[in-house]
């Protein structure tokens, strides 16, 4: 670094020096940070200075690129600097791609100018690094594409890419045939041999006849010298299948029935009226198809050996490392390509027996698939190949841990700790701490093992204070010692630092919350850990993932059981949720029993005990002022009836000498309490059914009474509505009748007014005509003077003169219009006769607005609607008679 700074002091624009200095500073910072993580004397100031050194190095690289932005090598150096930390993988990948693009653009320009000397191949290492970054960022398809391009950049890649018929692979159990490994294989045509078209071209056939190409006759050749069972063949240009049997010497039986592809019809002739040539006949179906077999190419050739004066050194083929990366991509891409990964790893260990990484990956895949025997076999081979390899020993120790073989695991990790290999020392100490903590129940070794476990965790934290796994282990030790609050703080800190990537922190927090009687929080942590176990994010701690899930289900069930017991201690109405929590406990116990491979007797006993507690809780509901139903009592009784024979069977096993982890006294006590609760449940059930029956009868009586009352109310409302309707109709009828009378009276008034106007106009005309001459003498009305008796009616009254008739008629009409009486016609006739007899009666009152429209009172206005009659004694004839007498005199 000092020399590079000296160069830059004399030439500040030297891009190569700037880039080299920047890369060295970044790598130095990375090395110092890794060493500081293993040193106990690191401080915040040292970490800040190292980060500033990294930033300074990146600035140097950026400055070099600014001076020469089209230099792909500078971009690659910056990419190498960025890929030192996982957080900057995407930026490093972008820089690599930009560098490759610059090289391709330059090559295209040189080809256009026919400058072959300027052409440059993209180095294999660039494509390999791009593939690794794509793999780390989960871009698996792109990673495979980059690895394939890296293979194409190998020396003599054009010749190695070609497959030959005699290259069947290094051995039968390590032959590469999977479609996902097509970059290492190719189809080789069998010259001179054809496949006869099946007789049934629609359904095809899985038995194929091989023909000679020369004359089409059946050939007399042993096919086993060319192909064998398991080979992948291609018929025609598309159909690929696998040979499952050699039928005789001239036929093959394949895995899939071969159906010839449909024949494409010839294109129609152009629409031309002058073209009279007939349409071409459709081509005839082929009678045979070409045959090709899949063989390996030479990418994975044997390693080359170089000899020096002292020893011979073997240089592995670069394609081996690329093939290993491709197998790792297959392994992480999903279950569909796991077989391709296994196939490729087996091919690698056959070609390079000392390639330990493939042994380890094969062991890990076997372990993840649950095949521990196969995992052990691969590890034994790896130990023979590299007995002191720390990675091999670590995986062997993990295998013993998964099998709960504590003593062999302790020996393996103790050996690794003594070797003081920096790459596995921390992991070995953590494993030793876990082994000691898992064996706390060893007789007489509780305190000793707890102390050893704490010492292992502290040893790791002493060298790396940010190790979350060691902190998590130390938290478990504190929780075991009763320091729950300190342990809880540590577990929360572990979750924050690790980003919830350490599943054990969730499980340990659940244990702490359960010890603190915080059951909702404990259940939340357990369920979170359960989800991580289902997703595969939690490591396998037992023999299989199903067993791990069963163990977590037991934790959840116990949390519900303890919560229900705590709720029952209230012994009042607030204890109502206990019944539901017992049910949750039973459900989780049964689910754990179904996931456990062996029908654990302890889980069965726990299910029976929980049902007994749940039944007792139901029977005590009445004393706690909690409502219950007959169905609840029935379910409790059924649970007891199911539990009793099961526990009796366990007791029988115990008495027969079988291994049962439950004492005889516990089983006998359970049977005694179960029988007592069954008798009590039967009486409670009868009582509850009788109570429900009585309640049902009372509810039926109340329902009928309510129904009767509802009908009575509906009937009363209907009657009232009918009466209201009748009243409204009668009121409307009276109003219409009065309006009709008013209309008739109005017409009479109009006629009278018109007659009066006409009479008044006629009088004026007569007066104008008689001015200046005396009026003519009037004739004497002798009838009025001397014949008055003749005008009398039978009742002794006198008839009114003709001139007075209209007034009398008007008065009669008015009285008939404003008559508001509801009497019948007979009553009206009687009233008229009475008026006739009483000639001196007072005149009838003038009708008012209230009389016309009804609902009037005495206090309302008596405003008249008609003109009033002449006031007087009612004798309208007397004045005219006197005038006539005076005239006669």
């Amino acid at each position: 670094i000092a020399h590079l700074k000296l160069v830059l002091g004399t030439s500040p624009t030297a891009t190569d020096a700037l880039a080299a200095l920047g890369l060295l500073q970044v790598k130095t910072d990375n090395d110092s940070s890794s060493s500081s993580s293993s040193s106990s004397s690191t401080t915040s100031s040292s970490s800040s200075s190292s980060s500033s050194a990294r930033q300074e190095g990146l600035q140097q690289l950026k400055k070099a690129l600014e001076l020469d932005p089209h230099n792909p090598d500078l971009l690659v150096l910056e990419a190498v600097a960025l890929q030192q930390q996982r957080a900057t993988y995407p930026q490093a990948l972008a820089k690599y791609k930009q560098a490759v693009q610059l090289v391709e653009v330059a090559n295209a320009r040189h080809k256009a100018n026919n400058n072959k000397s300027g052409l440059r191949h993209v180095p294999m290492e660039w494509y390999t690094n791009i593939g690794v970054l794509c793999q780390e960022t989960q871009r698996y398809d792109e990673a495979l594409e980059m690895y394939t391009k890296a293979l194409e950049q190998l020396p003599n890649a054009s010749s190695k890419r070609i497959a030959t018929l005699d290259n069947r692979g290094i051995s039968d159990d390590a032959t590469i045939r999977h479609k996902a490994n097509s970059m290492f294989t190719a189809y080789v045509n069998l010259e001179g041999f054809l496949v006869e078209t099946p007789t049934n071209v629609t359904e095809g056939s899985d038995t194929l006849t091989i023909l000679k190409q020369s004359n089409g006759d059946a050939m007399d050749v042993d096919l086993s010298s060319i192909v064998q069972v398991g080979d992948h063949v291609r018929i025609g240009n598309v159909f690929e299948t696998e040979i499952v049997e050699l039928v005789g010497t001239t036929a093959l039986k394949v895995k899939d029935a071969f159906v010839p592809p449909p024949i494409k019809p010839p294109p129609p002739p152009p629409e031309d009226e002058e073209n009279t040539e007939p349409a071409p006949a459709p081509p005839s179906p082929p009678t045979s198809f070409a045959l090709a077999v899949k063989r390996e190419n030479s990418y994975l050739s044997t390693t080359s050996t170089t000899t020096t004066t002292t020893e011979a050194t073997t240089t592995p083929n670069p394609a081996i490392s690329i093939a290993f990366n491709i197998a790792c991509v297959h392994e992480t891409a999903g279950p569909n390509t796991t077989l391709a990964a296994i196939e490729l790893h087996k091919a690698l260990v056959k070609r390079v027996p000392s390639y330990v990484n493939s042994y380890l990956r094969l062991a890990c895949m076997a372990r993840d698939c649950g095949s521990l025997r196969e995992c052990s076999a691969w590890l034994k081979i790896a130990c023979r190949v590299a007995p002191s390899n720390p990675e091999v020993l670590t995986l062997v120790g993990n295998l013993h841990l998964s099998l709960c073989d504590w003593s062999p695991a302790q020996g393996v990790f103790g050996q690794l700790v003594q070797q003081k290999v920096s790459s596995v020392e921390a992991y070995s100490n953590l494993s030793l701490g876990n082994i000691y903590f898992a064996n706390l129940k060893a007789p007489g070794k509780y305190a000793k093992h707890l102390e050893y476990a704490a010492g292992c965790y502290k040893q790791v934290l002493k060298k790396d204070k940010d190790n979350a796994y060691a902190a998590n282990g130390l938290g478990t030790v504190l929780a075991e010692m009763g320091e729950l609050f300190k342990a809880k703080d540590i577990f929360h800190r572990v979750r924050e630092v690790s980003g919830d990537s350490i599943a054990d922190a969730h499980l340990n927090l659940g244990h702490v919350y359960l010890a603190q009687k915080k059951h909702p929080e404990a259940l939340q942590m357990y369920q979170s850990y359960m989800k991580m176990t289902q997703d595969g994010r939690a490591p396998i701690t037992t023999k299989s993932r199903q067993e791990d899930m069963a163990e977590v289900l037991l934790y959840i069930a116990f949390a519900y059981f303890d919560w229900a017991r705590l709720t029952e201690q209230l012994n009042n109405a607030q204890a109502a949720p206990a019944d539901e929590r017992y049910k949750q406990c039973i459900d989780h116990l049964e689910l754990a029993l179904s996931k456990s491979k062996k029908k654990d007797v302890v889980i069965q006993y726990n299910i029976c005990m929980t049902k007994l507690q749940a039944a007792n809780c139901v029977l005590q509901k009445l004393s706690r002022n909690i409502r219950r139903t007959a169905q609840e009592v029935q379910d409790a009784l059924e649970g007891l009836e199911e539990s009793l024979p099961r526990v009796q069977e366990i007791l029988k096993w115990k008495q027969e000498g079988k291994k049962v982890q439950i004492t005889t006294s516990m089983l006998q006590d359970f049977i005694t309490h179960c029988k007592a609760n069954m008798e009590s449940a039967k009486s409670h059930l009868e009582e509850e059914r009788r109570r429900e029956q009585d309640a049902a009868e009372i509810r039926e009586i109340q329902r009928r009474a309510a129904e009767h009352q509802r009908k009575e109310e509906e009937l009363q409302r209907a009657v009232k509505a009918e009466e209201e309707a009748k009243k409204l109709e009668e009121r409307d009828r009276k109003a219409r009748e009065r309006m009709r009378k008013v209309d008739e009276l109005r017409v009479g008034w109009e006629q009278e007014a018109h007659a009066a106007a006409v009479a008044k106009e006629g009088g004026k005309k007569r007066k104008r005509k008689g001015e200046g001459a005396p009026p003519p003498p009037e004739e004497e009305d002798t009838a009025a003077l001397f014949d008055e008796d003749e005008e009398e009616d039978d009742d002794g009254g006198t008839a009114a003169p003709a001139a007075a008739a209209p007034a009398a008629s008007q008065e009669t009409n008015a009285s008939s219009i404003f008559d508001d009486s509801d009497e019948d016609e007979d009553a009206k006739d009687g009233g008229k006769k009475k008026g006739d007899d009483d000639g001196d009666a007072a005149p009838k009152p003038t009708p008012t607005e209230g009389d016309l429209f009804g609902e009037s009172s005495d206090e309302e206005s008596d405003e008249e609607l008609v003109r009033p009659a002449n006031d007087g004694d009612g004798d309208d004839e007397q004045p005219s008679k006197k005038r006539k007498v005076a005239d006669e005199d």
Side-chain angles (χ1 to χ4, degrees):
I1 293 178
H3 288 84
L4 288 174
K5 290 183 177 180
L6 184 61
V7 171
L8 291 174
T10 57
S11 179
T13 59
T15 56
D16 293 339
L18 283 171
L21 177 61
L23 182 59
L24 286 175
Q25 287 177 337
V26 171
K27 284 196 169 185
T28 303
D29 169 70
N30 187 53
D31 295 339
S32 63
S33 62
S34 61
S35 62
S36 65
S37 64
S38 60
S39 175
S40 60
S41 59
T42 56
T43 58
S44 59
S45 60
S46 63
S47 61
S48 62
S49 62
S50 63
S51 63
S52 62
R54 173 181 171 81
Q55 293 298 328
E56 184 179 355
L58 292 177
Q59 289 295 330
Q60 298 287 359
L61 288 167
K62 184 177 179 181
K63 183 178 180 180
L65 280 172
E66 290 177 353
L67 294 173
D68 190 3
H70 299 290
N71 190 337
D73 294 324
L74 297 179
L75 283 171
V76 170
L77 291 176
E78 186 179 10
V80 172
L82 290 172
Q83 72 182 23
Q84 300 302 314
Q85 290 188 357
R86 189 177 187 87
T88 55
Y89 279 175
Q91 293 88 328
L93 181 60
K95 295 296 181 181
Y96 273 120
K97 289 182 178 180
Q98 188 177 354
V100 172
Q101 185 178 6
L102 286 177
V103 173
E104 292 176 350
V105 171
N107 288 339
R109 185 171 60 252
H110 292 313
K111 288 180 180 180
N113 298 331
N114 291 326
N115 184 12
K116 295 183 179 180
S117 61
L119 295 178
R120 177 182 179 182
H121 294 287
V122 178
M124 176 195 65
E125 292 79 9
W126 291 13
Y127 284 123
T128 304
N129 290 342
I130 294 175
V132 172
L133 291 174
C134 291
Q135 181 179 351
E136 293 295 330
T137 54
Q138 299 182 357
R139 304 177 185 181
Y140 302 122
D141 294 337
E142 189 176 355
L144 291 176
E145 181 184 355
M146 293 298 107
Y147 288 140
T148 304
K149 290 184 177 181
L151 290 172
E152 294 173 355
Q153 301 301 321
L154 291 172
N156 302 322
S158 58
S159 61
K160 291 182 179 181
R161 194 184 306 119
I162 301 173
T164 57
L165 188 61
D166 57 346
N167 189 5
R168 295 184 177 181
I170 195 168
S171 64
D172 294 339
D173 59 344
T175 304
I176 300 175
R177 295 191 179 101
H178 201 280
K179 188 175 181 180
N181 296 325
S182 59
M183 66 284 295
F184 300 103
T185 60
Y187 279 101
V188 179
N189 290 324
L190 298 179
E191 300 294 342
F193 303 105
L194 300 174
V195 176
E196 185 180 10
T197 302
T199 305
N200 189 346
V201 297
T202 304
E203 298 181 359
S205 176
D206 58 354
T207 303
L208 307 176
T209 303
I210 307 301
L211 302 175
K212 286 183 179 179
Q213 190 175 7
S214 57
N215 53 13
D217 298 332
M219 67 178 190
D220 188 11
V221 175
D222 187 5
L223 290 177
S224 61
S225 62
I226 303 175
V227 295
Q228 60 184 2
V229 175
D231 281 345
H232 289 211
V233 295
R234 185 182 66 194
I235 303 172
N237 297 325
V238 178
F239 185 78
E240 297 180 5
T241 185
E242 180 182 350
I243 299 175
V244 296
E245 185 182 355
L246 297 176
V247 182
T249 59
T250 60
L252 301 174
K253 188 172 184 180
V254 293
K255 185 176 181 180
D256 304 312
F258 170 60
V259 179
I263 302 173
K264 295 183 179 180
E271 297 180 358
D272 190 358
E273 297 179 357
E274 298 180 356
N275 187 7
T276 58
E277 296 181 1
S284 59
T287 58
S288 60
F289 294 87
L291 178 65
V293 63
K294 182 181 285 187
R295 290 290 185 259
E296 295 183 12
N297 55 29
S298 301
Y299 277 147
L300 299 178
S301 60
T302 56
T303 57
S304 59
T305 304
T306 59
T307 305
T308 62
T309 57
T310 57
E311 60 180 357
T313 59
T314 301
T315 304
N317 186 355
I320 299 296
S321 298
I322 299 175
F324 176 79
N325 291 340
I326 292 174
C328 292
V329 172
H330 292 331
E331 183 181 349
T332 56
N336 295 330
T337 55
T338 302
L339 292 178
I342 295 173
E343 177 185 87
L344 202 51
H345 281 304
K346 288 182 177 180
L348 291 177
V349 297
K350 286 294 182 180
R351 286 168 171 78
V352 187
S354 62
Y355 203 72
V356 180
N357 291 333
S358 289
Y359 289 117
L360 298 181
R361 294 318 309 160
L362 286 170
C364 290
M365 284 188 286
R367 179 199 61 190
D368 294 340
C369 294
S371 180
L372 298 180
R373 187 180 301 274
E374 185 178 356
C375 174
S376 178
W378 286 115
L379 288 177
K380 288 179 180 179
I381 299 174
C383 288
R384 287 198 302 266
V385 173
S388 60
N389 190 310
E391 294 182 358
V392 175
L393 294 177
T394 300
L395 195 55
V396 171
N398 287 335
L399 179 62
H400 288 302
L401 284 179
S402 62
L403 296 175
C404 298
D405 296 335
W406 307 115
S407 181
Q410 182 180 358
V412 171
F413 289 115
Q415 179 183 351
L416 289 173
V417 170
Q418 291 177 359
Q419 291 178 359
K420 294 184 178 181
V421 181
S422 59
S423 59
V424 295
E425 184 179 3
Y427 185 82
S428 300
N429 276 314
L430 284 173
S431 300
L432 282 175
N434 294 336
I435 292 172
Y436 286 125
F437 190 81
N439 289 272
L440 293 178
K441 295 182 180 179
K445 295 184 178 181
Y446 177 83
K448 184 178 180 180
H449 283 179
L450 191 63
E451 182 181 358
Y452 285 167
C456 292
Y457 297 138
K458 290 179 180 179
Q459 184 68 22
V460 177
L461 290 173
K462 183 179 179 180
K463 295 183 177 181
D464 182 9
K465 63 179 181 180
D466 295 329
N467 194 307
Y469 293 96
N472 182 70
L474 188 59
T476 58
V477 173
L478 291 174
E480 186 68 24
M481 296 171 61
E483 300 288 344
L484 297 180
F485 291 100
K486 292 181 180 180
K488 183 173 68 173
D489 293 339
I490 290 176
F491 293 141
H492 280 301
R493 180 59 180 167
V494 169
R495 288 187 61 189
E496 294 175 1
V497 172
S498 64
D500 276 348
S501 61
I502 300 179
D504 290 343
H506 295 255
L507 185 63
N508 294 331
L509 271 175
H511 294 336
V512 171
Y513 282 129
L514 184 61
Q516 293 178 341
K517 302 301 180 182
K518 296 181 179 180
H519 298 92
E521 292 84 353
L523 288 171
Q524 183 180 0
M525 291 295 104
Y526 287 146
Q527 290 167 356
S528 177
Y529 182 81
M530 181 72 176
K531 185 177 180 181
M532 298 177 75
T533 304
Q534 293 174 344
D535 297 342
R537 291 180 291 167
I540 298 176
T541 57
T542 57
K543 295 182 180 181
S544 65
R545 194 165 297 279
Q546 291 293 325
E547 293 290 337
D548 285 353
M549 294 176 63
E551 185 176 358
V552 181
L553 288 170
L554 291 178
Y555 291 144
I556 297 175
F558 180 75
Y560 275 115
F561 183 83
D562 190 67
W563 196 6
R565 292 293 299 272
L566 184 65
T567 307
E568 274 197 287
Q569 292 179 4
L570 299 174
N571 202 25
N572 52 25
Q574 295 180 359
D579 186 23
E580 182 63 28
R581 289 160 190 168
Y582 279 127
K583 291 180 181 178
Q584 291 286 341
C585 176
I586 295 172
D587 293 341
H588 284 84
L589 285 173
E590 292 177 347
L591 186 59
L593 186 63
S594 65
K595 290 186 177 296
S596 180
K597 292 183 179 180
K598 296 181 179 180
K599 301 303 180 183
D600 195 343
V601 177
V602 177
I603 299 179
Q604 296 182 23
Y605 176 78
N606 289 336
I607 293 175
C608 297
M609 178 58 70
T610 306
K611 288 183 178 180
L612 178 62
Q613 293 293 335
N616 190 30
C617 177
V618 172
L619 297 179
Q620 293 183 6
K621 278 190 173 182
L622 292 181
S623 61
R624 296 170 179 169
N625 296 325
I626 302 173
R627 292 186 59 185
R628 72 179 182 187
T629 62
Q631 185 62 41
E632 292 178 350
V633 181
Q634 179 69 30
D635 294 341
L637 181 60
E638 291 177 356
L640 294 174
E641 292 174 349
E642 293 176 0
S643 301
L644 181 60
R646 184 178 296 182
V647 176
Q648 289 175 344
E649 185 179 6
I650 295 174
L651 179 60
K652 183 179 178 181
W653 293 344
K654 183 75 173 179
Q655 294 173 351
E656 291 175 354
K658 294 183 180 180
K659 186 177 181 180
V660 178
Q661 299 177 355
I662 307 170
T663 61
T664 304
S665 60
M666 292 177 63
L667 295 174
Q668 292 176 349
D669 290 342
F670 178 89
I671 293 173
T672 303
H673 288 89
C674 186
K675 290 181 179 180
N677 281 353
M678 286 176 62
E679 295 298 329
S680 178
K682 290 178 181 179
S683 61
H684 279 260
L685 180 60
E686 294 178 359
E687 180 183 355
E688 197 64 39
R689 285 177 176 173
R690 184 172 58 254
R691 185 182 294 107
E692 288 188 357
Q693 184 177 1
D694 295 342
E697 292 177 357
I698 294 174
R699 287 195 299 270
E700 181 64 21
I701 294 173
Q702 292 176 350
R703 186 191 64 80
R704 291 181 179 179
E707 183 69 17
H708 179 71
Q709 183 178 0
R710 183 182 62 82
K711 290 182 179 180
E712 289 291 338
E713 292 176 355
E714 290 181 356
L715 182 60
Q716 291 177 2
R717 287 195 296 269
V719 172
K720 186 175 180 181
E722 185 177 358
E723 292 177 354
E724 292 293 335
K726 287 182 179 180
K727 289 181 180 180
L728 182 61
E729 183 179 359
E730 182 65 21
R731 190 179 298 111
D732 293 342
R733 186 188 64 77
K734 290 180 180 180
R736 288 193 300 271
E737 183 66 22
R738 289 168 185 156
M739 289 303 297
R740 184 182 63 77
K741 292 180 180 180
V742 169
D743 291 339
E744 291 178 356
L745 184 59
R746 179 179 56 78
V747 172
W749 287 346
E750 291 178 354
Q751 293 177 355
E752 182 180 356
H754 180 68
V758 171
K760 185 176 180 180
E761 185 67 25
K764 290 181 179 181
K765 289 180 179 180
R766 286 194 299 268
K767 185 176 181 180
R768 284 195 300 269
K769 289 180 180 180
E771 288 181 358
E778 296 181 359
E779 297 181 357
E780 294 181 2
D781 190 2
T782 56
L785 294 177
F786 301 103
D787 296 331
E788 292 180 1
D789 295 336
E790 296 178 0
E791 301 295 333
E792 294 179 0
D793 54 9
D794 297 336
D795 296 330
T798 57
S809 176
Q810 179 180 355
E811 183 179 357
T812 304
N813 291 335
S815 63
S816 63
I817 289 174
F818 297 103
D819 186 10
D820 195 17
S821 175
D822 291 333
E823 297 177 357
D824 54 7
E825 296 296 328
D826 295 338
K828 292 181 180 180
D829 293 342
K832 288 181 180 180
K833 290 178 181 179
K834 184 178 179 180
D836 293 340
D837 294 338
D838 191 5
D840 297 332
K844 295 180 180 180
T846 304
T848 63
E849 182 180 1
D851 296 329
L852 291 175
F853 299 101
E855 304 297 332
S856 62
S857 60
D858 295 339
E859 291 81 3
E860 293 179 353
S861 174
D862 293 333
E863 182 181 358
E864 297 179 355
L865 298 179
V866 297
R867 289 182 299 176
N870 293 330
D871 296 333
D873 56 358
D875 189 3
D876 295 335
E877 299 179 5
Q878 188 65 28
S880 59
K881 289 181 179 181
K882 291 181 178 182
R883 283 196 301 271
K884 291 181 179 180
V885 172
D887 291 339
E888 289 177 355
D889 293 339

